[in-house]
Every structure is written in structure tokens, then in C-alpha cells.
Amino acid sequence: MSIDVYLNFNGNCHEAVEFYAQVFETEKPKIMTFGESPPNPEFPLPEEAKNLVMHTRLNISGSNVMFSDVFPGMPFIKGNNISLAIVSENLDEIKSQFDKLKEGGTVGMELQETFWSKCYGQLTDKFGIIWQFNCGINEM
């Protein structure tokens, strides 16, 4: 299990991650845009979202740092654009931690299977910290 930092940007994620890759001399990042995600007819993708970064990551000094742009219409507050990501292959551990952290908090997305994870969920705990949970993530 690891806890990784997740940084959100307001439309300039591609520029930021390329900059950080250069600064920290990492490999060129693999970038997935919202437009490259599988289409969902129930939620058509707005045109302005297609070129925004859905996910990318860098290994900086042995730590995974993940990045994305916020989806159009979602709130973005500079300085509060960081979340912690729990990454584990232990589904029971993820469910237990998610259930404990959601007490007094707000669930953004219940634990569920996604195209990138066999179990993903997101919540804000009672202290205002945003947590993401991933079990069995596909390497990007």
C-alpha cells in the first residue's frame, strides 16, 4: 500500500507536468486526456474537456506524484488542489478505510469499478482532506 499525492490544475496540467518532468529530470510523462477515456453515452463529454488532462504521473525521487486538470464546472481553489491517494491491492483494507474516513465527511464517488481500477472511490473527510482510493489500478 502507498499514499501518493494528487495535484489538480485548472486547465494547465499538461504544461505543469512537463515543467516538473524537466525540473526533476524524470521520464517523459504518459498523459491521458478526458477525450481519450472510453465514452459514456449517459454522460457526454463536453467539448472543452476533451484536451484536458485526466491523469498522468511522475516518479519524483522515489515518490509517485499524480496530476490532472479539474473537470469543467468542478470547483478549483488554488492552494486546496491537493488530495491523497491510497493505492492498495487489498480490497478489504480499502473498504474499511473508506468507510471509516467517510464518517462525518462527504462522499464524492462511492467505491465502484471504473475503467482504470477494479475499485475506486473519492471522499472528503470531516477535516476537509480529499482522499482517493484505488485498488488494482492499471499502470499508465
Side-chain angles (χ1 to χ4, degrees):
M1 178 176 87
S2 66
I3 297 178
D4 301 331
V5 65
Y6 208 109
L7 305 174
N8 295 112
F9 294 85
N10 197 22
N12 60 345
C13 182
H14 194 278
E15 177 186 355
V17 76
E18 293 285 347
F19 173 74
Y20 295 134
Q22 186 178 36
V23 168
F24 295 105
E25 299 178 359
T26 70
E27 290 184 23
K28 184 172 174 57
K30 297 175 186 171
I31 296 174
M32 179 181 193
T33 65
F34 285 104
E36 294 171 321
S37 64
N40 182 341
E42 294 178 31
F43 301 101
L45 190 64
E47 193 62 37
E48 66 269 23
K50 290 183 179 178
N51 292 322
L52 295 177
V53 175
M54 181 177 176
H55 177 79
T56 188
R57 71 173 153 190
L58 298 174
N59 187 290
I60 299 174
S61 301
S63 294
N64 281 319
V65 180
M66 298 180 284
F67 306 81
S68 72
D69 281 310
V70 295
F71 197 77
M74 298 297 291
F76 177 84
I77 301 169
K78 198 171 192 176
N80 290 346
N81 53 325
I82 297 173
S83 60
L84 299 176
I86 301 291
V87 180
S88 175
E89 292 297 322
N90 186 329
L91 185 57
D92 291 333
E93 182 178 58
I94 282 180
K95 287 179 178 178
S96 173
Q97 292 169 347
F98 188 90
D99 287 342
K100 290 174 186 174
L101 281 172
K102 77 178 182 182
E103 289 180 27
T106 305
V107 174
M109 182 175 180
E110 286 288 350
L111 290 173
Q112 60 191 272
E113 186 171 347
T114 65
F115 71 89
W116 70 85
S117 175
K118 62 184 172 187
C119 184
Y120 174 85
Q122 182 269 332
L123 61 83
T124 303
D125 71 19
K126 64 184 176 183
F127 300 105
I129 304 300
I130 301 168
W131 295 87
Q132 297 183 59
F133 292 82
N134 272 297
C135 183
I137 61 171
N138 296 325
E139 295 296 320
M140 287 185 58

